[in-house]
Amino acid sequence: MFKELRQEIKGTITKVNVPVDNRLQQICNLLKESVPYYDWVGFYFKNGDKDELKLGAYAGEPTDHTIIPFGKGICGQVALSDKNFVVPDVKAQDNYIACSINVKAEIVVPLFANGENIGQIDIDSNTPDPFTTEDERFLEFVNQEVAKIL
Ligand code: SME
């Protein structure tokens, strides 16, 4: 599954005539539709000079959490740690921001441009403990591709 998806991601990234925001939207839609346990897929980016994240493109239910301060929730922690954060069970986390009662697990992978952590991809799953190192490698790839067009 991820092998084919990598090719499709590359195809989307190289659509130079499509605005970048639309390409990011297409990637969110593609991931949500293709991976059965990806129930919400979104990109957060550093909001200008502020120590906070701002929601960009996403696919899935709208969320109230369009701004997340650095340090808050899984996303805010990744903004500071520069490391992948895989959460098999969101109930076991005390620094967690709930977006939907259906969410069981989450993965957040930082996005680096010129070596700087400028955002992240965030995936919520309604399936308990679904993420493996394959998801991590795949999402790192997605972010590397996205970094080329930012
Ligand atoms: N759960 C995230 C907040 C973002 S929503 O999942 C869309 C967190 O704890 O940072």
Side-chain angles (χ1 to χ4, degrees), residues 31 38 42-45 53 74-87 106-112 116-124 131-144 146:
L31 296 190
Y38 287 8
F43 289 99
Y44 282 93
F45 292 103
L53 295 160
I74 308 303
C75 296
Q77 292 177 75
V78 169
L80 297 175
S81 73
D82 302 344
K83 295 217 163 54
N84 297 350
F85 200 152
V86 181
V87 181
E106 177 162 6
I107 183 170
V108 179
V109 174
L111 196 160
F112 300 97
E116 200 188 331
N117 180 351
I118 58 148
Q120 51 194 237
I121 190 165
D122 176 20
I123 315 253
D124 283 341
F131 303 115
T132 70
T133 51
E134 270 199 76
D135 295 273
E136 291 190 68
R137 297 297 88 76
F138 171 63
L139 296 170
E140 287 162 3
F141 166 84
V142 171
N143 283 352
Q144 281 161 17
V146 167

Side-chain angles (χ1 to χ4, degrees), residues 6-51:
R6 281 173 194 243
Q7 289 312 312
E8 290 188 62
I9 297 285
K10 273 192 177 289
T12 305
I13 291 293
T14 50
K15 288 182 189 166
V16 289
N17 295 321
V18 177
V20 167
D21 285 350
N22 296 28
R23 280 184 266 172
L24 294 184
Q25 185 64 56
Q26 287 177 14
I27 289 170
C28 291
N29 297 347
L30 175 70
L31 296 190
K32 181 174 181 291
E33 282 158 22
S34 309
V35 186
Y37 52 92
Y38 287 8
D39 293 292
W40 190 95
V41 178
F43 289 99
Y44 282 93
F45 292 103
K46 183 173 162 65
N47 191 12
D49 291 341
K50 297 182 191 160
D51 283 344

